[in-house]
Amino acid sequence: MRREYVRYTDNLPIHISLSDIREYPIHWHNALEIIFVLKGSIYLNIEAGTYKVKAEQIEMVNADEAHRIYSDEENLVLILQINPSFFDKYYADMKNMFFYADTSEENIQNTEEYIILKQFVAILLLESIKKRENYQEFINKTLIDLLYHLINHFHYLMYEKEELKDDEEQLQRYHRIVKYIYNNFKNKISLQEIAEKEYLSSHYLSYKIKNTVGISFNEFLNLTRVEEAIKLLLDTDKTLTEISQELGFSHIRYFNKYFKKHYKMTPKEYRKKYKKTEEELKEIKKVKEYSTDLSLDYLKDYLAEYSRYNIEEEIIKIDLNLSDEGKKLDKNYLEKLYFGNFHYLLIEDIFKNLKSIQELLNFKYLIIKDCFKNRNYRLFEEGVKKLKVLDLTPYIIISKDEEDIFLSNIDSILENFSSEEVEKWIFEYDKSLDDRIKFSNRSIIYDDKINDIYNTEYMLPYTFKNFMNDDFYMQALDFKEELFSGEYGVLSYQGVKKPSYYSMYFASLLGDKIISKGENHILTCNDEDYQILIFNEGKENVNKEIHFFLNIENLIDDYRVIKYQVDEKSGSSYRIWRSMGKSKKLKDEEIQLIEYMSFPKVDIKHAKKSNVFPINFKMFGSGATMIIFKKVQKAPY
């Protein structure tokens, strides 16, 4: 039997195989077949045409098209078969849709539409092999994207007539005409009949059909009939007369005439040559199958930009005992916040952004500098009053250049602010702040060069490995107007929260006592609540998925468990900005959209009293997860 039935696996609408094909006799199946030659070359006979497909080229066989594959050299052929009923859910006219590829020239498939098509095939292959989390969802999404890419770039009428791509009305008209022929070729149909349906003259329609598909209406109708004849000749025992009548020919001699024109032999000769028993077909078929894993190396260039490619997977198990004794956690990291040039305080938008930080994190001191450089004491006084509104105490850096000006204004400071108030201020005289704010890890240094590290999720694990040092503090804001300028503030100039903002927010949620601290975790408590901070330092240029397994021992009550997560896939305003094209100038609504989309991933669940309560989750690349156990206050009744 020449009609094959594709076996789809894992409840997915695709089947992928990798083979060296020397002879695959004529067959057909109800599946769209995308053939990607990875090595060598093959000849593909599709109904009345034969095409040579070389390495790095793709060809397509539509559902129920009779085709044969053969080759006289070593080859590797990746075949992706797609169940058309999957596409039916998204495109109503799928059964009348056909796709063609062009393999006629050496570099003809180096264009963008072919590269994207190959990327889709590579992604489907990767997901079906690796079977990572949610792989079925990613396969279905990729198939939908593939469908519309095929419709927009490989539509059979666009293949015949490129200019139809830009003429939707004409494209739909000729699609209706071809569809009508395909669905009615077994009946007696005429050009006049179709012309009346389209409100066109038969002469004009005849000209346009030949101009669009390359042959006349009668030739196209009879070609459709003889191509269908192959299935009846090879897969039934019907007589030639019966086949001729079934296909709509008025006489068997017309059947013979048109069949011979396209296949260079009569239907009788064709049947004699190609009709075989099942045993004979097995003997003829020369196909050596390989594991599809081998094809990934051939397609790695098409996967370079795919986020789920080259993922390293790691499992980290952490045991946490809530009954262990804790010791006091000094939250010095919430003492000081670095601001920089004092005069920025007088800019209303910047002050508003500083206010949003302070309302959430409640720092004690704001480190400011250049307070006296412009010799205008009144501006200094105005700025300090603004700090009082935020309940922030000045931490003033005085440079050598400001020494005389500062000394000349001491009396004015004491006149306008009480001595008790000024005594709380901190003055750091004649020291270089630059030396105080240098970081050591990953070339993070205080300079004017753009360093994307300050924009990324790496700042979370960096913060949690260093924030308990006495001299650690963060910078409040970026002062360059680009959304992500490479500065090291926790907020951008526009007030967008960078991942480093959430590092300080997570740190502020920690309890008053620290129970344990490890390479990837900090466990704290206050009163009857617990806080677990999990963090991971990813590697540059490596997509790493870390699966954390936490065993929470001695959970003595019921708790509400709230989990916040920021990593390379969630909560990163920088990643979202990059996905939007990295524009330096964004509209207000685009900035608001980034703000909305970059909130940490949040999950809430209930944990019952237990000896060991398990929590497991995945983190992608650099990032951190804050887990809060809040004791459930039970009703008295």
Side-chain angles (χ1 to χ4, degrees), residues 34-36 58-60 80 82 100-101 109 111-124 142 146-147 149-150 153-154 302:
I34 298 178
I35 298 172
F36 195 164
I58 270 185
E59 187 54 271
M60 283 178 275
L80 167 64
I82 304 170
Y100 293 164
Q109 293 194 2
T111 56
E112 183 181 16
E113 59 264 29
Y114 279 98
I115 292 171
I116 293 173
L117 174 60
K118 293 170 186 178
Q119 287 172 341
F120 284 138
V121 173
I123 289 170
L124 291 168
T142 304
L146 171 62
L147 166 64
H149 184 68
L150 291 173
H153 298 283
F154 296 92
Y302 298 107

PDB file of all heavy atoms in Angstrom, residues 34-36 58-60 80 82 100-101 109 111-124 142 146-147 149-150 153-154 302:
ATOM      1  N   ILE A  34       8.309  18.572   5.410  1.00  0.00           N
ATOM      2  CA  ILE A  34       9.407  19.495   5.125  1.00  0.00           C
ATOM      3  C   ILE A  34      10.691  18.678   5.118  1.00  0.00           C
ATOM      4  O   ILE A  34      11.044  18.040   6.115  1.00  0.00           O
ATOM      5  CB  ILE A  34       9.474  20.621   6.174  1.00  0.00           C
ATOM      6  CG1 ILE A  34       8.184  21.444   6.131  1.00  0.00           C
ATOM      7  CG2 ILE A  34      10.681  21.521   5.913  1.00  0.00           C
ATOM      8  CD1 ILE A  34       8.123  22.560   7.165  1.00  0.00           C
ATOM      9  N   ILE A  35      11.362  18.675   3.983  1.00  0.00           N
ATOM     10  CA  ILE A  35      12.564  17.864   3.782  1.00  0.00           C
ATOM     11  C   ILE A  35      13.775  18.782   3.799  1.00  0.00           C
ATOM     12  O   ILE A  35      13.880  19.706   2.991  1.00  0.00           O
ATOM     13  CB  ILE A  35      12.477  17.097   2.450  1.00  0.00           C
ATOM     14  CG1 ILE A  35      11.286  16.129   2.484  1.00  0.00           C
ATOM     15  CG2 ILE A  35      13.774  16.351   2.170  1.00  0.00           C
ATOM     16  CD1 ILE A  35      11.001  15.457   1.162  1.00  0.00           C
ATOM     17  N   PHE A  36      14.676  18.553   4.733  1.00  0.00           N
ATOM     18  CA  PHE A  36      15.863  19.394   4.911  1.00  0.00           C
ATOM     19  C   PHE A  36      17.086  18.500   4.690  1.00  0.00           C
ATOM     20  O   PHE A  36      17.373  17.615   5.485  1.00  0.00           O
ATOM     21  CB  PHE A  36      15.859  19.971   6.330  1.00  0.00           C
ATOM     22  CG  PHE A  36      16.797  21.121   6.546  1.00  0.00           C
ATOM     23  CD1 PHE A  36      16.652  21.939   7.666  1.00  0.00           C
ATOM     24  CD2 PHE A  36      17.840  21.410   5.677  1.00  0.00           C
ATOM     25  CE1 PHE A  36      17.505  23.014   7.891  1.00  0.00           C
ATOM     26  CE2 PHE A  36      18.690  22.470   5.882  1.00  0.00           C
ATOM     27  CZ  PHE A  36      18.528  23.275   6.997  1.00  0.00           C
ATOM     28  N   ILE A  58      16.011  23.148   1.486  1.00  0.00           N
ATOM     29  CA  ILE A  58      14.739  22.625   1.981  1.00  0.00           C
ATOM     30  C   ILE A  58      13.782  22.471   0.813  1.00  0.00           C
ATOM     31  O   ILE A  58      13.771  23.280  -0.113  1.00  0.00           O
ATOM     32  CB  ILE A  58      14.143  23.578   3.043  1.00  0.00           C
ATOM     33  CG1 ILE A  58      14.634  23.186   4.448  1.00  0.00           C
ATOM     34  CG2 ILE A  58      12.642  23.605   3.020  1.00  0.00           C
ATOM     35  CD1 ILE A  58      14.017  23.976   5.580  1.00  0.00           C
ATOM     36  N   GLU A  59      12.996  21.413   0.865  1.00  0.00           N
ATOM     37  CA  GLU A  59      11.899  21.230  -0.095  1.00  0.00           C
ATOM     38  C   GLU A  59      10.667  20.807   0.688  1.00  0.00           C
ATOM     39  O   GLU A  59      10.778  20.318   1.820  1.00  0.00           O
ATOM     40  CB  GLU A  59      12.280  20.189  -1.148  1.00  0.00           C
ATOM     41  CG  GLU A  59      11.300  20.014  -2.296  1.00  0.00           C
ATOM     42  CD  GLU A  59      10.964  21.301  -3.025  1.00  0.00           C
ATOM     43  OE1 GLU A  59       9.988  21.955  -2.575  1.00  0.00           O
ATOM     44  OE2 GLU A  59      11.634  21.646  -4.005  1.00  0.00           O
ATOM     45  N   MET A  60       9.501  21.016   0.095  1.00  0.00           N
ATOM     46  CA  MET A  60       8.252  20.693   0.790  1.00  0.00           C
ATOM     47  C   MET A  60       7.377  19.787  -0.056  1.00  0.00           C
ATOM     48  O   MET A  60       7.295  19.963  -1.274  1.00  0.00           O
ATOM     49  CB  MET A  60       7.506  21.983   1.155  1.00  0.00           C
ATOM     50  CG  MET A  60       8.114  22.681   2.345  1.00  0.00           C
ATOM     51  SD  MET A  60       7.287  24.226   2.775  1.00  0.00           S
ATOM     52  CE  MET A  60       8.105  25.368   1.692  1.00  0.00           C
ATOM     53  N   LEU A  80      10.640  16.460   8.520  1.00  0.00           N
ATOM     54  CA  LEU A  80       9.657  16.909   9.511  1.00  0.00           C
ATOM     55  C   LEU A  80       8.274  16.731   8.908  1.00  0.00           C
ATOM     56  O   LEU A  80       7.956  17.321   7.884  1.00  0.00           O
ATOM     57  CB  LEU A  80       9.895  18.377   9.858  1.00  0.00           C
ATOM     58  CG  LEU A  80       8.783  19.101  10.633  1.00  0.00           C
ATOM     59  CD1 LEU A  80       8.590  18.492  12.006  1.00  0.00           C
ATOM     60  CD2 LEU A  80       9.083  20.590  10.744  1.00  0.00           C
ATOM     61  N   ILE A  82       4.189  17.085   9.569  1.00  0.00           N
ATOM     62  CA  ILE A  82       3.269  17.849  10.415  1.00  0.00           C
ATOM     63  C   ILE A  82       1.841  17.431  10.112  1.00  0.00           C
ATOM     64  O   ILE A  82       1.422  17.390   8.940  1.00  0.00           O
ATOM     65  CB  ILE A  82       3.421  19.360  10.165  1.00  0.00           C
ATOM     66  CG1 ILE A  82       4.883  19.786  10.374  1.00  0.00           C
ATOM     67  CG2 ILE A  82       2.497  20.155  11.083  1.00  0.00           C
ATOM     68  CD1 ILE A  82       5.182  21.196   9.930  1.00  0.00           C
ATOM     69  N   TYR A 100       5.229  25.688  -1.654  1.00  0.00           N
ATOM     70  CA  TYR A 100       6.322  25.303  -2.545  1.00  0.00           C
ATOM     71  C   TYR A 100       7.608  25.970  -2.084  1.00  0.00           C
ATOM     72  O   TYR A 100       7.598  27.102  -1.594  1.00  0.00           O
ATOM     73  CB  TYR A 100       6.048  25.738  -3.984  1.00  0.00           C
ATOM     74  CG  TYR A 100       4.893  25.038  -4.665  1.00  0.00           C
ATOM     75  CD1 TYR A 100       4.336  25.568  -5.829  1.00  0.00           C
ATOM     76  CD2 TYR A 100       4.364  23.847  -4.175  1.00  0.00           C
ATOM     77  CE1 TYR A 100       3.280  24.948  -6.475  1.00  0.00           C
ATOM     78  CE2 TYR A 100       3.304  23.222  -4.794  1.00  0.00           C
ATOM     79  CZ  TYR A 100       2.755  23.774  -5.940  1.00  0.00           C
ATOM     80  OH  TYR A 100       1.709  23.158  -6.569  1.00  0.00           O
ATOM     81  N   ALA A 101       8.732  25.282  -2.280  1.00  0.00           N
ATOM     82  CA  ALA A 101      10.061  25.861  -2.079  1.00  0.00           C
ATOM     83  C   ALA A 101      10.802  25.821  -3.407  1.00  0.00           C
ATOM     84  O   ALA A 101      10.433  25.067  -4.313  1.00  0.00           O
ATOM     85  CB  ALA A 101      10.827  25.080  -1.017  1.00  0.00           C
ATOM     86  N   GLN A 109      18.324  29.821  -1.583  1.00  0.00           N
ATOM     87  CA  GLN A 109      17.711  29.721  -0.256  1.00  0.00           C
ATOM     88  C   GLN A 109      18.508  30.459   0.829  1.00  0.00           C
ATOM     89  O   GLN A 109      18.351  30.179   2.013  1.00  0.00           O
ATOM     90  CB  GLN A 109      17.514  28.254   0.128  1.00  0.00           C
ATOM     91  CG  GLN A 109      16.494  27.531  -0.734  1.00  0.00           C
ATOM     92  CD  GLN A 109      16.050  26.199  -0.159  1.00  0.00           C
ATOM     93  OE1 GLN A 109      16.459  25.798   0.921  1.00  0.00           O
ATOM     94  NE2 GLN A 109      15.189  25.513  -0.880  1.00  0.00           N
ATOM     95  N   THR A 111      18.065  33.577   1.412  1.00  0.00           N
ATOM     96  CA  THR A 111      17.262  34.754   1.753  1.00  0.00           C
ATOM     97  C   THR A 111      16.652  34.597   3.153  1.00  0.00           C
ATOM     98  O   THR A 111      16.599  33.501   3.717  1.00  0.00           O
ATOM     99  CB  THR A 111      16.145  34.968   0.729  1.00  0.00           C
ATOM    100  OG1 THR A 111      15.367  33.765   0.649  1.00  0.00           O
ATOM    101  CG2 THR A 111      16.724  35.285  -0.643  1.00  0.00           C
ATOM    102  N   GLU A 112      16.158  35.716   3.679  1.00  0.00           N
ATOM    103  CA  GLU A 112      15.656  35.742   5.059  1.00  0.00           C
ATOM    104  C   GLU A 112      14.523  34.745   5.289  1.00  0.00           C
ATOM    105  O   GLU A 112      14.484  34.069   6.325  1.00  0.00           O
ATOM    106  CB  GLU A 112      15.186  37.156   5.402  1.00  0.00           C
ATOM    107  CG  GLU A 112      14.718  37.297   6.847  1.00  0.00           C
ATOM    108  CD  GLU A 112      14.233  38.691   7.179  1.00  0.00           C
ATOM    109  OE1 GLU A 112      13.971  39.474   6.236  1.00  0.00           O
ATOM    110  OE2 GLU A 112      14.094  39.005   8.372  1.00  0.00           O
ATOM    111  N   GLU A 113      13.577  34.651   4.326  1.00  0.00           N
ATOM    112  CA  GLU A 113      12.429  33.770   4.565  1.00  0.00           C
ATOM    113  C   GLU A 113      12.844  32.302   4.680  1.00  0.00           C
ATOM    114  O   GLU A 113      12.266  31.538   5.462  1.00  0.00           O
ATOM    115  CB  GLU A 113      11.366  33.933   3.475  1.00  0.00           C
ATOM    116  CG  GLU A 113      11.821  33.641   2.069  1.00  0.00           C
ATOM    117  CD  GLU A 113      12.213  34.904   1.329  1.00  0.00           C
ATOM    118  OE1 GLU A 113      12.655  35.878   1.981  1.00  0.00           O
ATOM    119  OE2 GLU A 113      12.081  34.917   0.089  1.00  0.00           O
ATOM    120  N   TYR A 114      13.900  31.894   3.931  1.00  0.00           N
ATOM    121  CA  TYR A 114      14.374  30.509   4.047  1.00  0.00           C
ATOM    122  C   TYR A 114      15.154  30.308   5.347  1.00  0.00           C
ATOM    123  O   TYR A 114      15.053  29.244   5.972  1.00  0.00           O
ATOM    124  CB  TYR A 114      15.241  30.149   2.840  1.00  0.00           C
ATOM    125  CG  TYR A 114      14.439  29.778   1.615  1.00  0.00           C
ATOM    126  CD1 TYR A 114      14.205  30.704   0.612  1.00  0.00           C
ATOM    127  CD2 TYR A 114      13.890  28.500   1.465  1.00  0.00           C
ATOM    128  CE1 TYR A 114      13.460  30.380  -0.512  1.00  0.00           C
ATOM    129  CE2 TYR A 114      13.147  28.160   0.338  1.00  0.00           C
ATOM    130  CZ  TYR A 114      12.934  29.106  -0.646  1.00  0.00           C
ATOM    131  OH  TYR A 114      12.187  28.769  -1.751  1.00  0.00           O
ATOM    132  N   ILE A 115      15.936  31.302   5.740  1.00  0.00           N
ATOM    133  CA  ILE A 115      16.693  31.182   6.986  1.00  0.00           C
ATOM    134  C   ILE A 115      15.736  31.044   8.175  1.00  0.00           C
ATOM    135  O   ILE A 115      15.932  30.207   9.058  1.00  0.00           O
ATOM    136  CB  ILE A 115      17.619  32.401   7.161  1.00  0.00           C
ATOM    137  CG1 ILE A 115      18.723  32.362   6.104  1.00  0.00           C
ATOM    138  CG2 ILE A 115      18.228  32.435   8.569  1.00  0.00           C
ATOM    139  CD1 ILE A 115      19.561  33.618   6.031  1.00  0.00           C
ATOM    140  N   ILE A 116      14.676  31.844   8.185  1.00  0.00           N
ATOM    141  CA  ILE A 116      13.687  31.757   9.266  1.00  0.00           C
ATOM    142  C   ILE A 116      12.986  30.406   9.243  1.00  0.00           C
ATOM    143  O   ILE A 116      12.751  29.792  10.293  1.00  0.00           O
ATOM    144  CB  ILE A 116      12.665  32.906   9.150  1.00  0.00           C
ATOM    145  CG1 ILE A 116      13.352  34.247   9.425  1.00  0.00           C
ATOM    146  CG2 ILE A 116      11.509  32.712  10.132  1.00  0.00           C
ATOM    147  CD1 ILE A 116      12.489  35.456   9.171  1.00  0.00           C
ATOM    148  N   LEU A 117      12.663  29.911   8.045  1.00  0.00           N
ATOM    149  CA  LEU A 117      12.038  28.587   7.921  1.00  0.00           C
ATOM    150  C   LEU A 117      12.945  27.511   8.519  1.00  0.00           C
ATOM    151  O   LEU A 117      12.489  26.634   9.273  1.00  0.00           O
ATOM    152  CB  LEU A 117      11.748  28.292   6.445  1.00  0.00           C
ATOM    153  CG  LEU A 117      11.227  26.892   6.110  1.00  0.00           C
ATOM    154  CD1 LEU A 117       9.916  26.603   6.832  1.00  0.00           C
ATOM    155  CD2 LEU A 117      11.049  26.738   4.607  1.00  0.00           C
ATOM    156  N   LYS A 118      14.223  27.583   8.227  1.00  0.00           N
ATOM    157  CA  LYS A 118      15.173  26.604   8.765  1.00  0.00           C
ATOM    158  C   LYS A 118      15.315  26.744  10.281  1.00  0.00           C
ATOM    159  O   LYS A 118      15.503  25.748  10.989  1.00  0.00           O
ATOM    160  CB  LYS A 118      16.523  26.764   8.071  1.00  0.00           C
ATOM    161  CG  LYS A 118      16.485  26.377   6.595  1.00  0.00           C
ATOM    162  CD  LYS A 118      17.769  26.760   5.866  1.00  0.00           C
ATOM    163  CE  LYS A 118      17.647  26.487   4.371  1.00  0.00           C
ATOM    164  NZ  LYS A 118      18.861  26.901   3.622  1.00  0.00           N
ATOM    165  N   GLN A 119      15.211  27.974  10.772  1.00  0.00           N
ATOM    166  CA  GLN A 119      15.252  28.177  12.225  1.00  0.00           C
ATOM    167  C   GLN A 119      14.063  27.503  12.901  1.00  0.00           C
ATOM    168  O   GLN A 119      14.217  26.881  13.963  1.00  0.00           O
ATOM    169  CB  GLN A 119      15.266  29.677  12.543  1.00  0.00           C
ATOM    170  CG  GLN A 119      16.593  30.354  12.234  1.00  0.00           C
ATOM    171  CD  GLN A 119      16.529  31.866  12.381  1.00  0.00           C
ATOM    172  OE1 GLN A 119      15.445  32.457  12.364  1.00  0.00           O
ATOM    173  NE2 GLN A 119      17.678  32.501  12.518  1.00  0.00           N
ATOM    174  N   PHE A 120      12.880  27.617  12.305  1.00  0.00           N
ATOM    175  CA  PHE A 120      11.698  26.956  12.868  1.00  0.00           C
ATOM    176  C   PHE A 120      11.893  25.438  12.913  1.00  0.00           C
ATOM    177  O   PHE A 120      11.569  24.785  13.905  1.00  0.00           O
ATOM    178  CB  PHE A 120      10.450  27.295  12.052  1.00  0.00           C
ATOM    179  CG  PHE A 120       9.906  28.673  12.301  1.00  0.00           C
ATOM    180  CD1 PHE A 120       9.454  29.465  11.253  1.00  0.00           C
ATOM    181  CD2 PHE A 120       9.820  29.192  13.580  1.00  0.00           C
ATOM    182  CE1 PHE A 120       8.943  30.736  11.469  1.00  0.00           C
ATOM    183  CE2 PHE A 120       9.316  30.466  13.818  1.00  0.00           C
ATOM    184  CZ  PHE A 120       8.883  31.234  12.763  1.00  0.00           C
ATOM    185  N   VAL A 121      12.420  24.875  11.832  1.00  0.00           N
ATOM    186  CA  VAL A 121      12.664  23.425  11.789  1.00  0.00           C
ATOM    187  C   VAL A 121      13.662  23.037  12.884  1.00  0.00           C
ATOM    188  O   VAL A 121      13.473  22.034  13.589  1.00  0.00           O
ATOM    189  CB  VAL A 121      13.186  22.996  10.406  1.00  0.00           C
ATOM    190  CG1 VAL A 121      13.590  21.525  10.415  1.00  0.00           C
ATOM    191  CG2 VAL A 121      12.122  23.235   9.332  1.00  0.00           C
ATOM    192  N   ALA A 122      14.722  23.835  13.029  1.00  0.00           N
ATOM    193  CA  ALA A 122      15.743  23.549  14.040  1.00  0.00           C
ATOM    194  C   ALA A 122      15.159  23.605  15.452  1.00  0.00           C
ATOM    195  O   ALA A 122      15.483  22.767  16.308  1.00  0.00           O
ATOM    196  CB  ALA A 122      16.898  24.533  13.899  1.00  0.00           C
ATOM    197  N   ILE A 123      14.297  24.583  15.720  1.00  0.00           N
ATOM    198  CA  ILE A 123      13.683  24.712  17.047  1.00  0.00           C
ATOM    199  C   ILE A 123      12.783  23.509  17.339  1.00  0.00           C
ATOM    200  O   ILE A 123      12.818  22.944  18.440  1.00  0.00           O
ATOM    201  CB  ILE A 123      12.882  26.026  17.133  1.00  0.00           C
ATOM    202  CG1 ILE A 123      13.843  27.225  17.163  1.00  0.00           C
ATOM    203  CG2 ILE A 123      11.989  26.042  18.375  1.00  0.00           C
ATOM    204  CD1 ILE A 123      13.156  28.563  16.997  1.00  0.00           C
ATOM    205  N   LEU A 124      11.986  23.101  16.355  1.00  0.00           N
ATOM    206  CA  LEU A 124      11.110  21.936  16.548  1.00  0.00           C
ATOM    207  C   LEU A 124      11.927  20.681  16.817  1.00  0.00           C
ATOM    208  O   LEU A 124      11.565  19.854  17.660  1.00  0.00           O
ATOM    209  CB  LEU A 124      10.223  21.747  15.315  1.00  0.00           C
ATOM    210  CG  LEU A 124       9.154  22.827  15.106  1.00  0.00           C
ATOM    211  CD1 LEU A 124       8.529  22.710  13.726  1.00  0.00           C
ATOM    212  CD2 LEU A 124       8.077  22.740  16.177  1.00  0.00           C
ATOM    213  N   THR A 142       5.707  27.184  18.173  1.00  0.00           N
ATOM    214  CA  THR A 142       6.572  27.275  16.990  1.00  0.00           C
ATOM    215  C   THR A 142       5.834  26.831  15.741  1.00  0.00           C
ATOM    216  O   THR A 142       6.010  27.417  14.662  1.00  0.00           O
ATOM    217  CB  THR A 142       7.839  26.427  17.205  1.00  0.00           C
ATOM    218  OG1 THR A 142       8.495  26.859  18.399  1.00  0.00           O
ATOM    219  CG2 THR A 142       8.801  26.577  16.034  1.00  0.00           C
ATOM    220  N   LEU A 146       5.279  28.908  12.426  1.00  0.00           N
ATOM    221  CA  LEU A 146       5.675  28.307  11.155  1.00  0.00           C
ATOM    222  C   LEU A 146       4.546  28.368  10.139  1.00  0.00           C
ATOM    223  O   LEU A 146       4.759  28.694   8.957  1.00  0.00           O
ATOM    224  CB  LEU A 146       6.112  26.855  11.390  1.00  0.00           C
ATOM    225  CG  LEU A 146       6.350  25.997  10.138  1.00  0.00           C
ATOM    226  CD1 LEU A 146       7.474  26.577   9.288  1.00  0.00           C
ATOM    227  CD2 LEU A 146       6.659  24.555  10.535  1.00  0.00           C
ATOM    228  N   LEU A 147       3.330  28.071  10.572  1.00  0.00           N
ATOM    229  CA  LEU A 147       2.171  28.095   9.672  1.00  0.00           C
ATOM    230  C   LEU A 147       2.044  29.451   8.983  1.00  0.00           C
ATOM    231  O   LEU A 147       1.931  29.536   7.751  1.00  0.00           O
ATOM    232  CB  LEU A 147       0.894  27.779  10.468  1.00  0.00           C
ATOM    233  CG  LEU A 147      -0.427  28.085   9.750  1.00  0.00           C
ATOM    234  CD1 LEU A 147      -0.590  27.206   8.510  1.00  0.00           C
ATOM    235  CD2 LEU A 147      -1.606  27.893  10.699  1.00  0.00           C
ATOM    236  N   HIS A 149       4.243  31.793   8.719  1.00  0.00           N
ATOM    237  CA  HIS A 149       5.423  32.079   7.891  1.00  0.00           C
ATOM    238  C   HIS A 149       5.277  31.402   6.523  1.00  0.00           C
ATOM    239  O   HIS A 149       5.600  32.004   5.484  1.00  0.00           O
ATOM    240  CB  HIS A 149       6.678  31.586   8.603  1.00  0.00           C
ATOM    241  CG  HIS A 149       7.945  31.925   7.879  1.00  0.00           C
ATOM    242  ND1 HIS A 149       8.407  33.212   7.750  1.00  0.00           N
ATOM    243  CD2 HIS A 149       8.839  31.135   7.221  1.00  0.00           C
ATOM    244  CE1 HIS A 149       9.536  33.211   7.062  1.00  0.00           C
ATOM    245  NE2 HIS A 149       9.827  31.963   6.729  1.00  0.00           N
ATOM    246  N   LEU A 150       4.786  30.179   6.512  1.00  0.00           N
ATOM    247  CA  LEU A 150       4.557  29.469   5.245  1.00  0.00           C
ATOM    248  C   LEU A 150       3.500  30.178   4.396  1.00  0.00           C
ATOM    249  O   LEU A 150       3.677  30.370   3.188  1.00  0.00           O
ATOM    250  CB  LEU A 150       4.131  28.023   5.515  1.00  0.00           C
ATOM    251  CG  LEU A 150       5.193  27.090   6.113  1.00  0.00           C
ATOM    252  CD1 LEU A 150       4.569  25.750   6.489  1.00  0.00           C
ATOM    253  CD2 LEU A 150       6.348  26.887   5.140  1.00  0.00           C
ATOM    254  N   HIS A 153       4.989  33.464   2.970  1.00  0.00           N
ATOM    255  CA  HIS A 153       6.198  33.461   2.133  1.00  0.00           C
ATOM    256  C   HIS A 153       6.317  32.268   1.180  1.00  0.00           C
ATOM    257  O   HIS A 153       7.124  32.331   0.245  1.00  0.00           O
ATOM    258  CB  HIS A 153       7.444  33.506   3.026  1.00  0.00           C
ATOM    259  CG  HIS A 153       7.526  34.746   3.859  1.00  0.00           C
ATOM    260  ND1 HIS A 153       7.923  35.960   3.350  1.00  0.00           N
ATOM    261  CD2 HIS A 153       7.232  34.962   5.167  1.00  0.00           C
ATOM    262  CE1 HIS A 153       7.894  36.872   4.305  1.00  0.00           C
ATOM    263  NE2 HIS A 153       7.471  36.304   5.421  1.00  0.00           N
ATOM    264  N   PHE A 154       5.543  31.204   1.401  1.00  0.00           N
ATOM    265  CA  PHE A 154       5.697  30.010   0.568  1.00  0.00           C
ATOM    266  C   PHE A 154       4.368  29.553  -0.032  1.00  0.00           C
ATOM    267  O   PHE A 154       4.233  28.413  -0.453  1.00  0.00           O
ATOM    268  CB  PHE A 154       6.337  28.885   1.386  1.00  0.00           C
ATOM    269  CG  PHE A 154       7.737  29.214   1.825  1.00  0.00           C
ATOM    270  CD1 PHE A 154       7.978  29.816   3.056  1.00  0.00           C
ATOM    271  CD2 PHE A 154       8.816  28.954   1.001  1.00  0.00           C
ATOM    272  CE1 PHE A 154       9.259  30.149   3.456  1.00  0.00           C
ATOM    273  CE2 PHE A 154      10.110  29.272   1.388  1.00  0.00           C
ATOM    274  CZ  PHE A 154      10.330  29.873   2.615  1.00  0.00           C
ATOM    275  N   TYR A 302      21.474  27.706  13.250  1.00  0.00           N
ATOM    276  CA  TYR A 302      20.095  28.205  13.218  1.00  0.00           C
ATOM    277  C   TYR A 302      19.487  28.311  14.615  1.00  0.00           C
ATOM    278  O   TYR A 302      18.397  28.857  14.784  1.00  0.00           O
ATOM    279  CB  TYR A 302      19.227  27.287  12.351  1.00  0.00           C
ATOM    280  CG  TYR A 302      19.677  27.237  10.910  1.00  0.00           C
ATOM    281  CD1 TYR A 302      20.326  26.114  10.404  1.00  0.00           C
ATOM    282  CD2 TYR A 302      19.495  28.324  10.064  1.00  0.00           C
ATOM    283  CE1 TYR A 302      20.753  26.069   9.085  1.00  0.00           C
ATOM    284  CE2 TYR A 302      19.927  28.290   8.747  1.00  0.00           C
ATOM    285  CZ  TYR A 302      20.556  27.159   8.263  1.00  0.00           C
ATOM    286  OH  TYR A 302      20.989  27.135   6.959  1.00  0.00           O
TER     287      TYR A 302
END
